[in-house]
Amino acid sequence: MRISGLQKLTLLDFPNLCACTIFLPGCQFRCPFCQNASLVLDLNNSSEIDEEDIFKFLKSRIGILDGVCVTGGEPTLQSDLIPFIRKIKELGFKVKLDTNGYNPKVLKELIDLSLLDYVAMDIKNSLEKYPLTCGVKNLKIENILDSINILKENKVPYEFRTTVIKEFHESSDFISIAKLIKGVKTYYLQEYRDGETCIQNGFTPYSKEEMDEFVNILKKEGIDTELRGIE
């Protein structure tokens, strides 16, 4: 397993649990605003962490941490993700997966094997704007739709989330997204934050007041929506 980073403690990434976060490299997307550029672009990172060191750490945290967040990049690109998560589960930890939803086959297999306790899937934009937002011209949008439908079967707790950016999102997009995720239990709108770790800098966040307007649009469409990461 290729592992690019470890955050030893997080009280935010796994809802209601004290957890750590493991970062895996690689991604099918090139979202210009991505805040993990090194994981997406630097695929020959010499500072990767040995899997044995990860499990040595996890064993030392049994009874202290409740869960492990597996994020990226895009974790489902790793060919040995399933045995890796199985080993984490065998230590007694709950596992949360962050995913872009572009590999529904792996997502379904992980759920069917009862290896996931929570899934957070990014909804990048309305379907019409997905290729632009992801930086992928020949996007197989059916992969995204399949993952949405897999999660909406409610076999595992999940959330959908969107990082909102002025250059990519407008009111009409959230009406389209509402139709796309109709029936979802939890949907979050996240604030964009510019920084040196982004693939491309210079995009613009919406104000809290503007974000509240998007929340109201979604709620009128029947989507229970909350803001995240907005002060």
Side-chain angles (χ1 to χ4, degrees), residues 64-126:
I64 300 172
L65 297 179
D66 304 303
V68 177
C69 306
V70 181
T71 189
E74 174 50 43
T76 62
L77 284 176
Q78 301 290 332
S79 61
D80 45 359
L81 180 65
I82 289 175
F84 180 70
I85 290 181
R86 183 178 280 116
K87 288 169 67 176
I88 296 174
K89 293 284 289 182
E90 288 172 352
L91 293 176
F93 296 104
K94 294 182 181 296
V95 174
K96 173 191 175 228
L97 178 74
D98 291 341
T99 182
N100 59 25
Y102 206 57
N103 199 340
K105 182 179 178 181
V106 173
L107 176 62
K108 185 177 188 305
E109 188 171 4
L110 285 164
I111 293 172
D112 288 347
L113 291 171
S114 300
L115 293 178
L116 300 179
D117 299 281
Y118 197 88
V119 177
M121 177 178 161
D122 294 323
I123 301 295
K124 300 296 184 180
N125 211 329
S126 57

Side-chain angles (χ1 to χ4, degrees), residues 124-167:
K124 300 296 184 180
N125 211 329
S126 57
L127 293 184
E128 296 77 11
K129 290 185 177 179
Y130 237 91
L132 173 67
T133 311
C134 294
V136 178
K137 290 183 179 180
N138 299 315
L139 189 76
K140 295 180 180 178
I141 200 65
E142 62 270 19
N143 290 3
I144 303 298
L145 297 174
D146 287 347
S147 288
I148 290 172
N149 290 329
I150 288 167
L151 291 176
K152 286 168 68 174
E153 291 175 359
N154 292 314
K155 293 182 178 179
V156 63
Y158 70 94
E159 67 181 52
F160 293 134
R161 59 194 188 183
T162 300
T163 300
V164 187
I165 304 159
K166 282 193 175 183
E167 287 80 3

Side-chain angles (χ1 to χ4, degrees), residues 23-36:
F23 297 87
L24 308 184
C27 188
Q28 311 98 321
F29 294 168
R30 293 295 183 269
C31 306
F33 51 87
C34 175
Q35 294 184 329
N36 288 327

